[in-house]
């Protein structure tokens, strides 16, 4: 019997507003503990929340960018539970009447496109942060994060593989970055993801019992946790055992998930509308303003890269799937306006380099202008493509500009036909047997002659020109 996975993600994104969602406290990351707090976010009795308009605008941007239907009126609710990082004893969230519903995100995996439904997007406030002492059995609490605005983006259970789940999360992150409303940092927790996963026999339409996995703070951990969970659930089902509905945590060190709490211990949050907040009304005019203010989004940029630069869909998709990479590409074009050549170079050399370092384009030492210059030097025939790769390696480690590297390492290409021809004649004179072979039809020896010329010029002869010269001399 074979099984297929059913996966749905719940993604939380911290919004990049300057102040918190219901008070004026700053949201700056990394400030000393409990320095960005006030009676409102500390949950003092008698205080009242006031909704941050900018947070709503950011959430609406995401809702529009993911094709959601925005509710003209949505309602904030209290989600009640006790935890030391939650001073009020409840979190203000949206429950029965969320801000937006029925959206979607298109993802690409292995060359096929799939549309993943977005169930809802709602606004809520973040909780504080507990810091556990390594040396003593005590914990500290930092309320700076309490009340930082979040959006929660809930997907339909329409993802089928760990790769699709990763592509979906990457797609959401990319849109958040294009919109400039979240910094997308999974490691620091400004973007968080809980994964729900169940298995069912292939062909079955009903869902199996799901498990929720928390605590994955990178794309790699998300993939690994889902892969682990598929193996675990599959083994249980094959033994005829039941899957327990539970919340599990990913242990990166062990490469396993483990049970945190079962269904019995699940919270009953006793949601009810927050009496301190009026319903949130979004007028058509406000929504239209926001729609007009949306920047170019990944899908539109992909189309533009195809139309304006004549790139194949594949190139355009890879480049725009990362805003910083697409920006880099366009910055190189400003110096060297040959889109396909620039794209080839980025897709091969630049991405290989980034993969090696597991880094983003932001950490690449090569300025776009310098890469443009390098490609122009190849185009002008000053250096060969092979030399360019050497120069690029140097640029990556040293951050120096290509001209300096070429000068210092004496890498210039000899494209002077006269100088090359004189040496070519000498080579032919010194190898009468090979010349005879060539004339007898063994044209492959041409490579030998070019090789000799390369050796003499320490690789600096323009290979194309060298070929032409030998061909011409041998035809005489
Ligand atoms: P809960 O009531 O436990 O919060 P929801 O129905 O609200 O569950 O769904 C939460 C997330 O779990 C959503 O992303 C949804 O797509 C996903 N999900 C729901 N049922 C399943 C299932 N059987 N298998 C996998 N994922 C599921
Ligand atoms: Zn405050
Ligand atoms: Mg739910």
């Amino acid at each position: 019997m074979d099984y297929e996975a059913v996966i749905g993600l719940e993604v939380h994104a911290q919004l990049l507003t300057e102040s918190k969602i219901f008070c004026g406290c700053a949201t700056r990351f990394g400030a000393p503990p409990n320095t960005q707090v006030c009676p409102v976010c500390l949950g003092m009795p008698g205080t009242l929340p006031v909704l941050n308009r900018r947070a709503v605008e950011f959430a609406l941007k995401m809702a529009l960018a993911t094709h959601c239907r925005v509710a003209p009126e949505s309602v904030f609710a209290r989600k009640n539970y006790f935890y030391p990082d939650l001073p009020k004893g409840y979190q203000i969230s949206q429950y029965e009447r969320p801000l937006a519903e029925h959206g979607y995100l298109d993802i690409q995996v292995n060359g096929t496109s799939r549309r993943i439904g977005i169930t809802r997007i709602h606004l809520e406030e973040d909780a504080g942060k507990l810091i556990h002492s390594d040396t003593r059995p005590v914990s500290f609490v930092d309320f700076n994060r309490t009340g930082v605005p979040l959006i929660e983006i809930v997907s339909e259970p329409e993802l089928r593989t760990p790769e699709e789940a990763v592509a979906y999360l990457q797609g959401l992150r990319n849109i958040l970055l294009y919109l400039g409303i979240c910094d997308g940092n999974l490691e620091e927790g400004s973007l968080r993801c809980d994964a729900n996963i169940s298995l069912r026999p292939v062909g079955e339409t009903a869902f199996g019992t799901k498990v929720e996995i928390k605590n994955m703070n990178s794309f790699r951990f998300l993939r690994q946790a889902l892969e682990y969970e598929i193996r675990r659930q599959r083994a249980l089902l094959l033994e005829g055992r039941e899957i327990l509905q539970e919340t599990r945590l990913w242990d990166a060190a062990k490469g396993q998930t483990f049970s945190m709490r079962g269904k019995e211990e699940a919270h009953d949050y006793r949601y009810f509308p927050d009496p301190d907040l009026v319903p949130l009304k979004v007028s058509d005019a406000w929504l239209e303003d926001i729609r007009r203010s949306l920047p170019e989004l990944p899908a539109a940029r992909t189309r533009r890269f195809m139309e304006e630069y004549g790139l194949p869909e594949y190139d355009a998709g890879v480049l725009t799937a990362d805003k910083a990479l697409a920006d880099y590409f366009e910055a190189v074009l400003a110096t060297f306006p040959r889109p396909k050549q620039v794209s080839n170079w980025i897709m091969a050399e630049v991405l290989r380099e980034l993969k090696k370092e597991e880094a983003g384009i932001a950490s690449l030492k090569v300025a776009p202008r310098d890469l443009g210059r390098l490609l122009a030097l190849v185009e002008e025939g000053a250096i060969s493509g092979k030399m360019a790769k050497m120069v690029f390696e140097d640029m990556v480690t040293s951050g120096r500009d290509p001209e300096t590297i070429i000068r210092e390492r004496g890498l210039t290409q000899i494209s002077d036909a006269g100088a090359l021809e004189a040496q070519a004649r000498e080579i032919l004179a010194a190898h009468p047997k090979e010349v005879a072979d060539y004339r007898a039809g063994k044209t492959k020896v041409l490579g030998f002659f070019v090789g000799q010329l390369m050796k003499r010029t320490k690789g600096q002869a323009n290979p194309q020109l060298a070929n032409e010269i030998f061909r011409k001399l041998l035809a005489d």
Side-chain angles (χ1 to χ4, degrees):
M1 165 111 66
D2 221 348
Y3 295 96
E4 78 170 345
V6 171
I7 302 168
L9 299 190
E10 294 167 285
V11 175
H12 286 90
Q14 262 183 9
L15 300 179
L16 285 170
T17 53
E18 285 184 19
S19 56
K20 294 187 179 181
I21 185 167
F22 297 120
C23 63
C25 291
T27 53
R28 198 163 52 82
F29 183 80
N34 300 309
T35 55
Q36 294 174 169
V37 294
C38 74
V40 175
C41 55
L42 289 175
M44 301 289 176
T47 58
L48 287 172
V50 177
L51 183 59
N52 179 337
R53 184 182 176 92
R54 180 56 64 83
V56 180
E57 280 171 7
F58 283 3
L60 290 172
K61 282 185 178 189
M62 191 58 183
L64 291 175
T66 52
H67 316 278
C68 285
R69 237 179 282 149
V70 172
E73 195 174 295
S74 62
V75 172
F76 286 97
R78 291 187 181 179
K79 178 178 178 179
N80 300 281
Y81 64 94
F82 171 78
Y83 205 64
D85 65 7
L86 190 73
K88 291 197 297 290
Y90 60 85
Q91 177 197 25
I92 303 179
S93 180
Q94 294 187 309
Y95 185 57
E96 281 174 330
R97 298 179 63 190
L99 183 76
E101 290 178 289
H102 311 299
Y104 65 84
L105 176 71
D106 290 330
I107 59 166
Q108 303 265 348
V109 173
N110 300 328
T112 40
S113 184
R114 286 200 61 215
R115 177 159 291 183
I116 306 303
I118 289 177
T119 315
R120 55 188 276 155
I121 297 182
H122 69 246
L123 269 164
E124 59 187 32
E125 59 180 344
D126 208 345
K129 204 162 137 182
L130 289 180
I131 299 148
H132 307 291
S133 167
D134 293 332
T135 50
R136 288 183 295 147
V138 295
S139 294
F140 304 94
V141 61
D142 177 6
F143 289 122
N144 283 351
R145 206 178 66 181
T146 311
V148 167
L150 299 176
I151 44 174
E152 177 171 346
I153 306 157
V154 182
S155 87
E156 290 290 308
E158 292 176 348
L159 299 156
R160 291 290 172 266
T161 62
E163 291 71 33
E164 287 186 1
V166 168
Y168 169 83
L169 184 60
Q170 279 172 335
L172 282 189
R173 177 175 181 273
N174 199 34
I175 293 177
L176 291 165
L177 294 178
Y178 269 75
L179 293 171
I181 61 172
C182 172
D183 70 19
N185 193 325
L186 286 154
E187 284 78 13
E188 282 179 7
S190 31
L191 186 63
R192 295 167 229 157
C193 171
D194 301 336
N196 298 268
I197 175 167
S198 61
L199 258 49
R200 66 179 172 191
V202 171
E204 171 67 67
T205 49
F207 292 144
T209 305
K210 76 174 159 76
V211 158
E212 184 182 18
I213 318 170
K214 290 180 179 287
N215 203 31
M216 301 153 292
N217 64 353
S218 72
F219 292 114
R220 189 154 51 97
F221 291 160
L222 171 63
R223 185 173 49 72
Q224 290 175 344
L226 288 172
E227 283 168 356
Y228 175 86
E229 200 50 32
I230 289 171
R231 284 198 303 276
R232 188 187 72 86
Q233 293 188 17
R234 194 164 183 279
L236 286 172
L237 291 171
L238 286 173
E239 281 177 29
R241 289 165 60 188
E242 248 181 81
I243 305 296
L244 295 180
Q245 188 178 330
E246 60 186 355
T247 301
R248 299 177 71 87
L249 289 182
W250 169 245
D251 181 334
K254 292 210 180 97
Q256 298 178 351
T257 63
F258 63 94
S259 181
M260 179 174 101
R261 62 168 176 253
K263 196 182 178 182
E264 304 70 34
E265 302 143 83
H267 298 124
D268 175 359
Y269 295 116
R270 297 182 178 273
Y271 282 98
F272 63 87
D274 192 312
D276 289 343
L277 286 156
V278 294
L280 167 58
K281 289 193 172 151
V282 178
S283 69
D284 289 346
W286 190 18
L287 200 56
E288 251 340 282
D289 277 352
I290 288 167
R291 196 190 298 279
R292 272 196 299 273
S293 79
L294 289 180
E296 182 181 45
L297 292 167
R301 200 172 195 186
T302 303
R303 279 196 301 279
R304 179 167 67 77
F305 276 21
M306 292 168 67
E307 283 159 20
E308 188 177 334
Y309 302 135
L311 293 184
E313 186 174 4
Y314 180 74
D315 291 37
V318 171
L319 293 172
T320 57
D322 175 348
K323 179 173 187 292
L325 192 67
D327 291 345
Y328 188 90
F329 166 78
E330 294 205 282
V332 177
L333 283 188
T335 309
F336 184 67
R338 306 236 173 188
K340 185 57 185 152
Q341 272 152 274
V342 175
S343 166
N344 287 348
W345 194 275
I346 290 183
M347 308 259 292
E349 306 305 320
V350 173
L351 288 185
R352 174 176 324 125
E353 207 47 58
L354 297 180
K355 205 164 175 187
K356 218 162 69 191
E357 301 294 321
E358 286 200 51
I361 189 80
S363 67
L364 189 74
K365 281 191 194 162
V366 180
R369 177 181 16 87
D370 288 340
L371 180 56
R373 282 298 304 147
L374 180 68
L375 297 183
L377 289 166
V378 177
E379 177 89 356
E380 291 158 12
I383 56 168
S384 66
K386 216 166 156 184
M387 286 177 189
K389 286 179 189 167
M390 284 168 53
V391 176
F392 182 70
E393 281 296 317
D394 193 324
M395 292 163 77
V396 165
T397 47
S398 69
R400 299 190 298 173
D401 65 84
E403 284 91 349
T404 307
I405 295 167
I406 289 165
R407 204 179 329 109
E408 265 185 29
R409 296 176 58 168
L411 284 175
T412 40
Q413 178 165 261
I414 304 167
S415 294
D416 173 352
L420 289 181
E421 192 172 320
Q423 299 205 48
R425 281 182 193 282
E426 286 176 33
I427 290 167
L428 293 180
H431 297 93
K433 187 182 162 298
E434 284 78 3
V435 173
D437 285 350
Y438 181 88
R439 296 214 159 114
K442 282 179 73 179
T443 48
K444 268 204 236 154
V445 281
L446 191 70
F448 165 77
F449 293 130
V450 173
Q452 291 295 309
L453 186 58
M454 283 297 176
K455 213 158 142 192
R456 277 183 172 225
T457 58
K458 295 197 179 74
Q460 284 173 260
N462 178 328
Q464 216 177 326
L465 189 58
N467 257 294
E468 276 167 30
I469 289 170
F470 279 113
R471 225 178 249 133
K472 192 191 84 184
L473 292 177
L474 286 163
D476 285 346

